[in-house]
Amino acid sequence: MKLVWQILAVVAISAAGGQALSGVKENPWLALPLGVLAVVLAVLVYRWVVGRTERRPVTELARHGARGALLRGALIGTVMFACVIANLFFLGDYEVHGYGSLSGALALLGFMAGAAATEELMYRGLLFRLVERGAGTYLALVVSGVVFGASHLLNENATLLGAVAIAIEAGGMLAAAYAATRSLWLPIGVHLGWNFAEAGIFGAEVSGSGGTHGLLDVSISGPELITGGEFGPEASVYAVVIGALVMLAFLWLAHRRGHIVPRKRAARADALVALAR
């Protein structure tokens, strides 16, 4: 029942926030503050339900160091996606036609903030963390990555290639970021930085979710394997390679810090939360 309450509470606040943001995502004056509100409410609900049901300090969302972790994560996510775009640009598959929309980018920032926080709480805060407790870090990474990738098959322009790419470059990489730090703030920042850079800055489509209104007016054309096709650059082979390399770096860091939970020690996973730095 503890797990049921956690899942119900986080899914409910995520669904409510997503529904509200979807209705105003074209309006920057509503989407931006509503996105911030969605983040705050999601974090408060997670802290409350996990702390109450597990009877422990919710150190994965500790206030201390949260701002720095968010900023570091956002920088990592932005640089990662900038590397993807740089490759497409030098191949001649990414073309900038002019400026897009500042107000549209601000609206996307609010929408992306709400989505990044709620998805990280669900997929890394609950799914990965709870599977890891019983099955160890590596199996939890695979399970949470596959489920996260499969969830993107529901998007408007979804493709199987895109779902597989998301499972590796996002699901696996973000779970590894959590394993390395035992904090959700860094993966929330990486998730936000990646998504906002993709749509808000570089004007590309995010995960096959439909149109975008970023700072740049662009066109992307070329082989689907290189550009990601209708799903967007997240399905590009460059995105997969970059995401996989960052995932390996985080796993190396997790191993170095002693944060990897083997299956035989998985029952003691909660003790590792206190090791977050």
Side-chain angles (χ1 to χ4, degrees):
M1 287 304 299
K2 291 179 181 180
L3 302 184
V4 171
W5 280 117
Q6 290 180 17
I7 293 168
L8 287 177
V10 174
V11 168
I13 193 65
S14 299
Q19 197 71 15
L21 284 167
S22 294
V24 300
K25 67 178 182 178
E26 303 295 334
N27 186 333
W29 313 116
L30 292 177
L32 189 55
L34 191 58
V36 173
L37 179 61
V39 173
V40 172
L41 290 177
V43 168
L44 290 177
V45 167
Y46 180 97
R47 278 179 177 159
W48 177 79
V49 71
V50 171
R52 188 176 180 86
T53 56
E54 298 187 12
R55 300 182 183 279
R56 66 173 177 84
V58 187
T59 51
E60 64 265 34
L61 281 177
R63 292 181 178 86
H64 178 70
R67 181 183 300 177
L70 281 171
L71 291 175
R72 286 193 299 274
L75 179 60
I76 291 170
T78 301
V79 170
M80 286 176 64
F81 198 79
C83 291
V84 176
I85 291 297
N87 280 283
L88 297 181
F89 178 78
F90 286 120
L91 288 174
D93 295 325
Y94 178 86
E95 185 177 355
V96 178
H97 303 295
Y99 294 107
S101 168
L102 177 59
S103 61
L106 290 175
L108 280 171
L109 180 60
F111 183 80
M112 297 299 185
T118 54
E119 288 184 4
E120 289 312 301
L121 296 180
M122 283 194 295
Y123 291 100
R124 263 57 70 179
L126 290 184
L127 181 59
F128 174 81
R129 183 176 62 85
L130 297 176
V131 173
E132 184 188 44
R133 181 185 299 176
T137 300
Y138 292 115
L139 184 57
L141 187 146
V142 172
V143 170
S144 62
V146 169
V147 174
F148 188 60
S151 70
H152 288 73
L153 287 171
L154 301 175
N155 291 354
E156 182 179 344
N157 295 316
T159 64
L160 181 58
L161 175 63
V164 172
I166 289 291
I168 298 169
E169 75 202 18
M173 182 269 294
L174 292 167
Y178 171 72
T181 61
R182 293 296 157 180
S183 169
L184 289 168
W185 294 119
L186 184 75
I188 289 173
V190 174
H191 196 148
L192 174 58
W194 172 278
N195 279 0
F196 182 69
E198 183 172 14
I201 298 176
F202 296 111
E205 183 167 349
V206 177
S207 308
S209 57
T212 180
H213 306 285
L215 292 175
L216 297 176
D217 176 25
V218 308
S219 61
I220 301 175
S221 60
E224 184 177 1
L225 189 64
I226 300 298
T227 65
E230 291 186 348
F231 191 84
E234 283 175 312
S236 165
V237 65
Y238 291 115
V240 175
V241 170
I242 291 168
L245 290 174
V246 174
M247 176 179 67
L248 291 175
F250 278 131
L251 287 176
W252 173 82
L253 185 59
H255 179 79
R256 184 175 181 179
R257 291 178 173 179
H259 291 184
I260 298 295
V261 183
R263 185 178 178 82
K264 64 182 180 181
R265 291 173 49 207
R268 295 183 290 172
D270 285 346
L272 293 176
V273 175
L275 298 176
R277 291 293 185 267

